[in-house]
Short mmCIF file of all heavy atoms in Angstrom, two decimals:
data_model
loop_
_atom_site.label_atom_id
_atom_site.label_comp_id
_atom_site.label_asym_id
_atom_site.label_seq_id
_atom_site.Cartn_x
_atom_site.Cartn_y
_atom_site.Cartn_z
N MET A 1 22.16 1.25 15.59
CA MET A 1 21.37 1.53 14.38
C MET A 1 19.88 1.30 14.64
O MET A 1 19.51 0.35 15.30
CB MET A 1 21.84 0.63 13.24
CG MET A 1 21.51 1.18 11.87
SD MET A 1 22.30 0.23 10.54
CE MET A 1 21.22 -1.16 10.38
N ARG A 2 19.10 2.17 14.11
CA ARG A 2 17.65 2.08 14.28
C ARG A 2 17.05 1.01 13.37
O ARG A 2 17.54 0.78 12.28
CB ARG A 2 17.04 3.44 13.91
CG ARG A 2 15.91 3.90 14.85
CD ARG A 2 15.67 5.37 14.56
NE ARG A 2 15.20 5.50 13.18
CZ ARG A 2 13.97 5.90 12.84
NH1 ARG A 2 13.10 6.23 13.76
NH2 ARG A 2 13.62 6.03 11.58
N ILE A 3 16.00 0.38 13.84
CA ILE A 3 15.28 -0.57 13.00
C ILE A 3 14.55 0.20 11.90
O ILE A 3 14.05 1.29 12.14
CB ILE A 3 14.26 -1.37 13.86
CG1 ILE A 3 15.02 -2.18 14.90
CG2 ILE A 3 13.40 -2.29 12.98
CD1 ILE A 3 14.16 -2.66 16.05
N ARG A 4 14.52 -0.38 10.73
CA ARG A 4 13.83 0.28 9.62
C ARG A 4 12.36 0.48 9.92
O ARG A 4 11.70 -0.40 10.44
CB ARG A 4 13.96 -0.56 8.34
CG ARG A 4 15.34 -0.47 7.74
CD ARG A 4 15.41 -1.28 6.48
NE ARG A 4 14.74 -0.59 5.38
CZ ARG A 4 14.75 -1.03 4.13
NH1 ARG A 4 15.37 -2.14 3.82
NH2 ARG A 4 14.15 -0.38 3.18
N GLU A 5 11.90 1.63 9.54
CA GLU A 5 10.49 1.96 9.69
C GLU A 5 9.64 1.04 8.82
O GLU A 5 10.00 0.74 7.70
CB GLU A 5 10.32 3.41 9.22
CG GLU A 5 8.91 3.93 9.37
CD GLU A 5 8.74 5.25 8.62
OE1 GLU A 5 9.72 5.77 8.07
OE2 GLU A 5 7.61 5.73 8.59
N GLN A 6 8.52 0.61 9.38
CA GLN A 6 7.63 -0.23 8.58
C GLN A 6 6.21 0.28 8.68
O GLN A 6 5.83 0.89 9.66
CB GLN A 6 7.69 -1.68 9.07
CG GLN A 6 9.05 -2.29 8.83
CD GLN A 6 8.99 -3.79 8.70
OE1 GLN A 6 8.32 -4.46 9.47
NE2 GLN A 6 9.67 -4.33 7.72
N ARG A 7 5.46 0.00 7.66
CA ARG A 7 4.05 0.36 7.66
C ARG A 7 3.21 -0.87 7.44
O ARG A 7 3.64 -1.81 6.80
CB ARG A 7 3.75 1.35 6.53
CG ARG A 7 4.12 2.75 6.88
CD ARG A 7 3.54 3.68 5.85
NE ARG A 7 4.08 5.01 6.02
CZ ARG A 7 3.72 6.05 5.29
NH1 ARG A 7 2.86 5.90 4.30
NH2 ARG A 7 4.24 7.22 5.50
N LYS A 8 1.98 -0.78 7.94
CA LYS A 8 1.07 -1.91 7.79
C LYS A 8 0.28 -1.80 6.49
O LYS A 8 -0.16 -0.72 6.10
CB LYS A 8 0.09 -1.95 8.96
CG LYS A 8 0.71 -2.58 10.19
CD LYS A 8 -0.32 -2.70 11.29
CE LYS A 8 0.32 -3.36 12.51
NZ LYS A 8 -0.62 -3.37 13.64
N CYS A 9 0.09 -2.96 5.91
CA CYS A 9 -0.76 -3.06 4.73
C CYS A 9 -2.21 -2.81 5.14
O CYS A 9 -2.68 -3.34 6.14
CB CYS A 9 -0.60 -4.43 4.11
SG CYS A 9 -1.80 -4.80 2.83
N PHE A 10 -2.90 -2.01 4.34
CA PHE A 10 -4.30 -1.67 4.60
C PHE A 10 -5.18 -2.92 4.65
O PHE A 10 -6.14 -2.99 5.41
CB PHE A 10 -4.78 -0.74 3.48
CG PHE A 10 -6.23 -0.37 3.56
CD1 PHE A 10 -6.66 0.56 4.48
CD2 PHE A 10 -7.14 -0.93 2.69
CE1 PHE A 10 -8.01 0.92 4.55
CE2 PHE A 10 -8.49 -0.58 2.74
CZ PHE A 10 -8.92 0.35 3.68
N LYS A 11 -4.86 -3.90 3.85
CA LYS A 11 -5.73 -5.05 3.70
C LYS A 11 -5.36 -6.22 4.64
O LYS A 11 -6.18 -6.71 5.39
CB LYS A 11 -5.71 -5.52 2.25
CG LYS A 11 -6.92 -6.36 1.89
CD LYS A 11 -6.89 -6.70 0.41
CE LYS A 11 -7.99 -7.71 0.10
NZ LYS A 11 -7.81 -8.30 -1.22
N CYS A 12 -4.12 -6.68 4.59
CA CYS A 12 -3.75 -7.86 5.37
C CYS A 12 -3.18 -7.50 6.76
O CYS A 12 -2.96 -8.37 7.58
CB CYS A 12 -2.77 -8.73 4.60
SG CYS A 12 -1.18 -7.98 4.28
N ASP A 13 -2.91 -6.21 6.98
CA ASP A 13 -2.46 -5.74 8.29
C ASP A 13 -1.09 -6.27 8.72
O ASP A 13 -0.75 -6.27 9.89
CB ASP A 13 -3.52 -6.08 9.35
CG ASP A 13 -3.58 -5.02 10.45
OD1 ASP A 13 -3.41 -3.83 10.14
OD2 ASP A 13 -3.77 -5.39 11.62
N LYS A 14 -0.32 -6.76 7.76
CA LYS A 14 1.07 -7.14 8.07
C LYS A 14 1.98 -5.95 7.80
O LYS A 14 1.62 -5.06 7.04
CB LYS A 14 1.49 -8.32 7.19
CG LYS A 14 0.79 -9.61 7.57
CD LYS A 14 1.18 -10.69 6.57
CE LYS A 14 0.27 -11.90 6.70
NZ LYS A 14 0.26 -12.71 5.47
N GLU A 15 3.15 -6.00 8.40
CA GLU A 15 4.07 -4.88 8.22
C GLU A 15 5.06 -5.13 7.10
O GLU A 15 5.57 -6.23 6.93
CB GLU A 15 4.83 -4.63 9.53
CG GLU A 15 3.91 -4.11 10.60
CD GLU A 15 4.67 -3.48 11.76
OE1 GLU A 15 5.83 -3.86 11.99
OE2 GLU A 15 4.09 -2.62 12.42
N PHE A 16 5.30 -4.07 6.35
CA PHE A 16 6.22 -4.14 5.21
C PHE A 16 7.10 -2.91 5.18
O PHE A 16 6.72 -1.86 5.68
CB PHE A 16 5.43 -4.20 3.89
CG PHE A 16 4.62 -5.45 3.73
CD1 PHE A 16 3.32 -5.52 4.21
CD2 PHE A 16 5.15 -6.57 3.11
CE1 PHE A 16 2.56 -6.68 4.09
CE2 PHE A 16 4.40 -7.72 2.97
CZ PHE A 16 3.10 -7.78 3.47
N SER A 17 8.26 -3.06 4.56
CA SER A 17 9.12 -1.90 4.37
C SER A 17 8.94 -1.31 2.98
O SER A 17 9.57 -0.32 2.63
CB SER A 17 10.58 -2.28 4.60
OG SER A 17 10.94 -3.33 3.75
N GLU A 18 8.05 -1.93 2.20
CA GLU A 18 7.71 -1.36 0.90
C GLU A 18 6.23 -1.60 0.63
O GLU A 18 5.76 -2.73 0.72
CB GLU A 18 8.55 -2.01 -0.21
CG GLU A 18 8.27 -1.39 -1.57
CD GLU A 18 9.11 -2.04 -2.66
OE1 GLU A 18 10.30 -1.73 -2.74
OE2 GLU A 18 8.57 -2.84 -3.42
N LEU A 19 5.52 -0.53 0.34
CA LEU A 19 4.09 -0.64 0.08
C LEU A 19 3.72 0.20 -1.14
O LEU A 19 4.47 1.09 -1.53
CB LEU A 19 3.29 -0.15 1.29
CG LEU A 19 3.32 -1.02 2.55
CD1 LEU A 19 2.69 -0.26 3.71
CD2 LEU A 19 2.59 -2.33 2.34
N PHE A 20 2.54 -0.09 -1.68
CA PHE A 20 2.09 0.62 -2.87
C PHE A 20 0.90 1.49 -2.53
O PHE A 20 -0.07 1.04 -1.93
CB PHE A 20 1.76 -0.38 -3.98
CG PHE A 20 2.94 -1.25 -4.31
CD1 PHE A 20 3.09 -2.49 -3.72
CD2 PHE A 20 3.91 -0.78 -5.16
CE1 PHE A 20 4.21 -3.28 -3.99
CE2 PHE A 20 5.03 -1.56 -5.44
CZ PHE A 20 5.18 -2.81 -4.86
N ARG A 21 1.01 2.73 -2.92
CA ARG A 21 -0.04 3.70 -2.64
C ARG A 21 -1.09 3.58 -3.74
O ARG A 21 -0.76 3.59 -4.93
CB ARG A 21 0.59 5.09 -2.66
CG ARG A 21 -0.27 6.20 -2.16
CD ARG A 21 0.62 7.42 -1.98
NE ARG A 21 -0.18 8.60 -1.65
CZ ARG A 21 -0.38 9.59 -2.50
NH1 ARG A 21 0.13 9.58 -3.72
NH2 ARG A 21 -1.11 10.62 -2.13
N CYS A 22 -2.34 3.47 -3.33
CA CYS A 22 -3.40 3.35 -4.33
C CYS A 22 -4.75 3.76 -3.78
O CYS A 22 -4.95 3.87 -2.57
CB CYS A 22 -3.45 1.92 -4.85
SG CYS A 22 -3.74 0.72 -3.56
N ARG A 23 -5.68 3.97 -4.71
CA ARG A 23 -7.07 4.22 -4.36
C ARG A 23 -7.87 3.01 -4.80
O ARG A 23 -7.67 2.51 -5.92
CB ARG A 23 -7.58 5.45 -5.10
CG ARG A 23 -6.82 6.70 -4.78
CD ARG A 23 -7.67 7.90 -5.05
NE ARG A 23 -7.09 8.76 -6.07
CZ ARG A 23 -7.14 10.09 -6.00
NH1 ARG A 23 -7.72 10.68 -5.00
NH2 ARG A 23 -6.62 10.81 -6.96
N ILE A 24 -8.78 2.58 -3.96
CA ILE A 24 -9.47 1.33 -4.26
C ILE A 24 -10.99 1.41 -4.17
O ILE A 24 -11.67 0.43 -4.39
CB ILE A 24 -8.99 0.18 -3.34
CG1 ILE A 24 -9.08 0.59 -1.86
CG2 ILE A 24 -7.57 -0.23 -3.71
CD1 ILE A 24 -8.99 -0.59 -0.90
N ASP A 25 -11.53 2.58 -3.83
CA ASP A 25 -12.99 2.66 -3.78
C ASP A 25 -13.47 4.06 -4.18
O ASP A 25 -12.66 4.94 -4.47
CB ASP A 25 -13.53 2.25 -2.41
CG ASP A 25 -13.03 3.15 -1.29
OD1 ASP A 25 -12.73 4.33 -1.53
OD2 ASP A 25 -12.93 2.65 -0.16
N GLU A 26 -14.79 4.22 -4.18
CA GLU A 26 -15.39 5.45 -4.69
C GLU A 26 -15.09 6.67 -3.82
O GLU A 26 -15.23 7.79 -4.28
CB GLU A 26 -16.90 5.27 -4.88
CG GLU A 26 -17.74 5.21 -3.60
CD GLU A 26 -17.64 3.89 -2.85
OE1 GLU A 26 -17.00 2.94 -3.35
OE2 GLU A 26 -18.20 3.81 -1.75
N ARG A 27 -14.68 6.44 -2.58
CA ARG A 27 -14.33 7.57 -1.73
C ARG A 27 -13.02 8.23 -2.15
O ARG A 27 -12.76 9.38 -1.84
CB ARG A 27 -14.23 7.13 -0.26
CG ARG A 27 -15.58 6.80 0.35
CD ARG A 27 -15.39 6.14 1.71
NE ARG A 27 -14.69 4.87 1.56
CZ ARG A 27 -14.21 4.16 2.57
NH1 ARG A 27 -14.31 4.59 3.79
NH2 ARG A 27 -13.61 3.01 2.36
N GLY A 28 -12.20 7.45 -2.82
CA GLY A 28 -10.95 7.99 -3.35
C GLY A 28 -9.88 8.26 -2.31
O GLY A 28 -8.98 9.05 -2.54
N ASN A 29 -9.99 7.61 -1.17
CA ASN A 29 -8.94 7.76 -0.16
C ASN A 29 -7.70 6.96 -0.56
O ASN A 29 -7.82 5.84 -1.04
CB ASN A 29 -9.41 7.26 1.20
CG ASN A 29 -10.54 8.10 1.77
OD1 ASN A 29 -10.61 9.29 1.53
ND2 ASN A 29 -11.43 7.45 2.50
N TRP A 30 -6.55 7.55 -0.32
CA TRP A 30 -5.31 6.82 -0.59
C TRP A 30 -5.03 5.85 0.54
O TRP A 30 -5.12 6.22 1.71
CB TRP A 30 -4.14 7.79 -0.71
CG TRP A 30 -4.19 8.63 -1.94
CD1 TRP A 30 -4.51 9.95 -2.00
CD2 TRP A 30 -3.91 8.21 -3.28
NE1 TRP A 30 -4.46 10.37 -3.31
CE2 TRP A 30 -4.09 9.34 -4.11
CE3 TRP A 30 -3.54 6.99 -3.86
CZ2 TRP A 30 -3.90 9.28 -5.49
CZ3 TRP A 30 -3.35 6.94 -5.23
CH2 TRP A 30 -3.53 8.07 -6.04
N VAL A 31 -4.70 4.62 0.17
CA VAL A 31 -4.30 3.61 1.15
C VAL A 31 -2.98 2.98 0.71
O VAL A 31 -2.57 3.11 -0.44
CB VAL A 31 -5.38 2.52 1.31
CG1 VAL A 31 -6.68 3.11 1.85
CG2 VAL A 31 -5.63 1.78 0.01
N PHE A 32 -2.34 2.31 1.65
CA PHE A 32 -1.09 1.62 1.35
C PHE A 32 -1.31 0.12 1.44
O PHE A 32 -1.81 -0.39 2.42
CB PHE A 32 0.00 2.04 2.32
CG PHE A 32 0.47 3.45 2.10
CD1 PHE A 32 -0.10 4.51 2.79
CD2 PHE A 32 1.47 3.71 1.18
CE1 PHE A 32 0.33 5.81 2.57
CE2 PHE A 32 1.91 5.01 0.96
CZ PHE A 32 1.33 6.06 1.65
N MET A 33 -0.91 -0.57 0.37
CA MET A 33 -1.07 -2.02 0.35
C MET A 33 0.21 -2.70 -0.11
O MET A 33 0.99 -2.13 -0.88
CB MET A 33 -2.20 -2.41 -0.60
CG MET A 33 -3.56 -2.19 0.02
SD MET A 33 -4.82 -3.13 -0.81
CE MET A 33 -4.88 -2.26 -2.33
N CYS A 34 0.38 -3.95 0.34
CA CYS A 34 1.53 -4.74 -0.11
C CYS A 34 1.27 -5.24 -1.53
O CYS A 34 0.14 -5.18 -2.03
CB CYS A 34 1.77 -5.91 0.84
SG CYS A 34 0.50 -7.18 0.79
N GLY A 35 2.28 -5.76 -2.16
CA GLY A 35 2.18 -6.21 -3.55
C GLY A 35 1.17 -7.32 -3.76
O GLY A 35 0.47 -7.35 -4.76
N ILE A 36 1.08 -8.21 -2.79
CA ILE A 36 0.16 -9.34 -2.91
C ILE A 36 -1.29 -8.85 -2.89
O ILE A 36 -2.09 -9.21 -3.74
CB ILE A 36 0.40 -10.35 -1.76
CG1 ILE A 36 1.84 -10.86 -1.81
CG2 ILE A 36 -0.58 -11.51 -1.85
CD1 ILE A 36 2.38 -11.28 -0.45
N CYS A 37 -1.61 -8.04 -1.92
CA CYS A 37 -2.97 -7.50 -1.80
C CYS A 37 -3.30 -6.60 -2.98
O CYS A 37 -4.44 -6.59 -3.45
CB CYS A 37 -3.13 -6.72 -0.50
SG CYS A 37 -3.00 -7.77 0.95
N LEU A 38 -2.34 -5.87 -3.44
CA LEU A 38 -2.55 -4.99 -4.58
C LEU A 38 -2.98 -5.77 -5.81
O LEU A 38 -3.94 -5.41 -6.49
CB LEU A 38 -1.28 -4.21 -4.88
CG LEU A 38 -1.40 -3.14 -5.95
CD1 LEU A 38 -2.05 -1.88 -5.40
CD2 LEU A 38 -0.05 -2.82 -6.54
N GLU A 39 -2.29 -6.86 -6.06
CA GLU A 39 -2.61 -7.70 -7.22
C GLU A 39 -4.04 -8.23 -7.13
O GLU A 39 -4.76 -8.26 -8.11
CB GLU A 39 -1.63 -8.88 -7.32
CG GLU A 39 -0.25 -8.49 -7.81
CD GLU A 39 -0.27 -7.81 -9.18
OE1 GLU A 39 -0.89 -8.35 -10.11
OE2 GLU A 39 0.33 -6.74 -9.30
N GLU A 40 -4.43 -8.63 -5.93
CA GLU A 40 -5.79 -9.15 -5.73
C GLU A 40 -6.83 -8.06 -5.88
O GLU A 40 -7.89 -8.26 -6.47
CB GLU A 40 -5.92 -9.74 -4.31
CG GLU A 40 -5.22 -11.07 -4.14
CD GLU A 40 -5.29 -11.56 -2.69
OE1 GLU A 40 -6.06 -10.98 -1.90
OE2 GLU A 40 -4.55 -12.51 -2.38
N THR A 41 -6.54 -6.92 -5.31
CA THR A 41 -7.51 -5.84 -5.23
C THR A 41 -7.78 -5.17 -6.57
O THR A 41 -8.90 -4.78 -6.87
CB THR A 41 -7.03 -4.78 -4.21
OG1 THR A 41 -6.79 -5.43 -2.97
CG2 THR A 41 -8.07 -3.69 -4.00
N LYS A 42 -6.75 -5.07 -7.38
CA LYS A 42 -6.92 -4.29 -8.61
C LYS A 42 -7.68 -5.04 -9.71
O LYS A 42 -8.14 -4.42 -10.66
CB LYS A 42 -5.58 -3.78 -9.11
CG LYS A 42 -4.67 -4.80 -9.73
CD LYS A 42 -3.37 -4.08 -10.09
CE LYS A 42 -2.42 -4.99 -10.83
NZ LYS A 42 -1.12 -4.31 -11.08
N ILE A 43 -7.88 -6.35 -9.52
CA ILE A 43 -8.63 -7.12 -10.50
C ILE A 43 -10.10 -6.67 -10.48
O ILE A 43 -10.74 -6.67 -9.44
CB ILE A 43 -8.53 -8.64 -10.21
CG1 ILE A 43 -7.09 -9.10 -10.27
CG2 ILE A 43 -9.41 -9.43 -11.18
CD1 ILE A 43 -6.84 -10.46 -9.61
N ASN A 44 -10.60 -6.30 -11.62
CA ASN A 44 -11.99 -5.87 -11.77
C ASN A 44 -12.39 -4.72 -10.83
O ASN A 44 -13.54 -4.59 -10.46
CB ASN A 44 -12.96 -7.04 -11.55
CG ASN A 44 -12.78 -8.13 -12.59
OD1 ASN A 44 -12.48 -7.83 -13.75
ND2 ASN A 44 -12.94 -9.36 -12.19
N ASN A 45 -11.44 -3.91 -10.45
CA ASN A 45 -11.75 -2.77 -9.59
C ASN A 45 -11.74 -1.48 -10.41
O ASN A 45 -10.70 -1.01 -10.83
CB ASN A 45 -10.74 -2.70 -8.45
CG ASN A 45 -11.14 -1.68 -7.40
OD1 ASN A 45 -11.85 -0.71 -7.68
ND2 ASN A 45 -10.70 -1.90 -6.18
N LEU A 46 -12.92 -0.92 -10.62
CA LEU A 46 -13.07 0.28 -11.44
C LEU A 46 -12.44 1.50 -10.78
O LEU A 46 -12.12 2.47 -11.44
CB LEU A 46 -14.56 0.57 -11.68
CG LEU A 46 -15.34 -0.47 -12.48
CD1 LEU A 46 -16.83 -0.13 -12.44
CD2 LEU A 46 -14.85 -0.55 -13.91
N PHE A 47 -12.29 1.46 -9.49
CA PHE A 47 -11.80 2.62 -8.75
C PHE A 47 -10.28 2.58 -8.54
O PHE A 47 -9.70 3.52 -8.04
CB PHE A 47 -12.48 2.71 -7.38
CG PHE A 47 -13.97 2.80 -7.49
CD1 PHE A 47 -14.76 1.70 -7.21
CD2 PHE A 47 -14.58 3.99 -7.89
CE1 PHE A 47 -16.15 1.78 -7.31
CE2 PHE A 47 -15.97 4.07 -8.00
CZ PHE A 47 -16.75 2.97 -7.71
N TYR A 48 -9.70 1.47 -8.93
CA TYR A 48 -8.27 1.31 -8.68
C TYR A 48 -7.44 2.37 -9.40
O TYR A 48 -7.59 2.61 -10.59
CB TYR A 48 -7.79 -0.08 -9.11
CG TYR A 48 -6.29 -0.19 -9.07
CD1 TYR A 48 -5.64 -0.31 -7.85
CD2 TYR A 48 -5.53 -0.13 -10.23
CE1 TYR A 48 -4.26 -0.38 -7.79
CE2 TYR A 48 -4.15 -0.19 -10.18
CZ TYR A 48 -3.52 -0.31 -8.97
OH TYR A 48 -2.16 -0.37 -8.92
N GLN A 49 -6.57 3.01 -8.64
CA GLN A 49 -5.63 3.97 -9.20
C GLN A 49 -4.31 3.86 -8.44
O GLN A 49 -4.29 3.90 -7.21
CB GLN A 49 -6.19 5.39 -9.07
CG GLN A 49 -5.38 6.41 -9.83
CD GLN A 49 -5.91 7.82 -9.63
OE1 GLN A 49 -6.94 8.04 -9.00
NE2 GLN A 49 -5.20 8.78 -10.17
N TYR A 50 -3.25 3.72 -9.19
CA TYR A 50 -1.93 3.59 -8.58
C TYR A 50 -1.32 4.96 -8.31
O TYR A 50 -1.39 5.84 -9.15
CB TYR A 50 -1.04 2.78 -9.53
CG TYR A 50 0.39 2.65 -9.08
CD1 TYR A 50 0.72 1.87 -7.98
CD2 TYR A 50 1.41 3.29 -9.77
CE1 TYR A 50 2.03 1.74 -7.58
CE2 TYR A 50 2.72 3.16 -9.37
CZ TYR A 50 3.04 2.39 -8.28
OH TYR A 50 4.34 2.27 -7.88
N GLY A 51 -0.75 5.09 -7.12
CA GLY A 51 -0.22 6.40 -6.74
C GLY A 51 1.22 6.41 -6.32
O GLY A 51 1.68 7.36 -5.69
N GLY A 52 1.96 5.36 -6.65
CA GLY A 52 3.39 5.36 -6.33
C GLY A 52 3.76 4.34 -5.28
O GLY A 52 2.92 3.69 -4.68
N THR A 53 5.06 4.21 -5.09
CA THR A 53 5.60 3.22 -4.16
C THR A 53 6.16 3.93 -2.94
O THR A 53 6.84 4.95 -3.06
CB THR A 53 6.70 2.41 -4.84
OG1 THR A 53 6.18 1.85 -6.03
CG2 THR A 53 7.20 1.28 -3.94
N TRP A 54 5.87 3.38 -1.77
CA TRP A 54 6.44 3.90 -0.54
C TRP A 54 7.50 2.93 -0.05
O TRP A 54 7.26 1.73 0.04
CB TRP A 54 5.34 4.07 0.52
CG TRP A 54 5.93 4.47 1.85
CD1 TRP A 54 6.24 5.73 2.27
CD2 TRP A 54 6.29 3.59 2.92
NE1 TRP A 54 6.78 5.66 3.54
CE2 TRP A 54 6.82 4.38 3.95
CE3 TRP A 54 6.22 2.20 3.09
CZ2 TRP A 54 7.28 3.84 5.16
CZ3 TRP A 54 6.67 1.65 4.29
CH2 TRP A 54 7.19 2.47 5.30
N LYS A 55 8.69 3.46 0.24
CA LYS A 55 9.75 2.62 0.80
C LYS A 55 10.25 3.22 2.10
O LYS A 55 10.41 4.42 2.23
CB LYS A 55 10.92 2.54 -0.19
CG LYS A 55 10.68 1.51 -1.26
CD LYS A 55 11.88 1.42 -2.18
CE LYS A 55 11.53 0.58 -3.41
NZ LYS A 55 12.57 0.62 -4.42
N ALA A 56 10.49 2.33 3.04
CA ALA A 56 11.04 2.77 4.32
C ALA A 56 12.45 3.32 4.09
O ALA A 56 13.22 2.80 3.29
CB ALA A 56 11.09 1.60 5.28
N LYS A 57 12.76 4.37 4.83
CA LYS A 57 14.11 4.93 4.74
C LYS A 57 15.04 4.16 5.65
O LYS A 57 14.71 3.86 6.79
CB LYS A 57 14.09 6.41 5.18
CG LYS A 57 13.30 7.29 4.27
CD LYS A 57 13.34 8.73 4.81
CE LYS A 57 12.25 9.56 4.17
NZ LYS A 57 11.17 9.87 5.10
N LYS A 58 16.20 3.89 5.17
CA LYS A 58 17.22 3.27 6.02
C LYS A 58 17.81 4.35 6.90
O LYS A 58 18.05 5.46 6.46
CB LYS A 58 18.34 2.67 5.17
CG LYS A 58 17.93 1.37 4.52
CD LYS A 58 19.09 0.84 3.67
CE LYS A 58 18.61 -0.24 2.72
NZ LYS A 58 19.61 -0.56 1.71
N SER A 59 18.01 4.01 8.16
CA SER A 59 18.59 5.03 9.05
C SER A 59 19.62 4.43 9.97
O SER A 59 19.86 3.23 9.95
CB SER A 59 17.49 5.70 9.85
OG SER A 59 16.76 4.73 10.57
ZN1 ZN B 101 -1.24 -6.95 2.23
#
């Protein structure tokens, strides 16, 4: 069996099997962040926009 695919959090650079897609600055680029970083980042962030949840596929 293959190891589950993981992605790195944009902010803390740790790997997760579930991340949250969001925009966090005026450039409007989509980034993936873990739940902890997301909570921190969205406070007082005028550019914050949630774009869905990414989950690793089991294979
Ligand atoms: Zn993080």
Side-chain angles (χ1 to χ4, degrees):
M1 202 171 81
R2 221 166 64 113
I3 297 162
R4 286 181 75 174
E5 183 192 356
Q6 294 206 316
R7 279 192 191 182
K8 280 185 179 174
C9 169
F10 176 76
K11 201 176 171 193
C12 65
D13 213 36
K14 290 175 194 158
E15 292 196 334
F16 294 89
S17 56
E18 183 179 284
L19 290 170
F20 302 95
R21 191 168 173 252
C22 59
R23 300 204 241 218
I24 53 164
D25 61 28
E26 73 284 355
R27 289 170 297 169
N29 295 328
W30 290 106
V31 297
F32 289 93
M33 282 199 290
C34 69
I36 301 152
C37 294
L38 186 79
E39 286 302 310
E40 286 176 12
T41 305
K42 73 183 185 184
I43 300 163
N44 297 325
N45 189 333
L46 296 172
F47 302 104
Y48 171 75
Q49 189 183 355
Y50 176 70
T53 305
W54 174 85
K55 278 182 191 172
K57 294 179 197 108
K58 285 179 195 168
S59 57

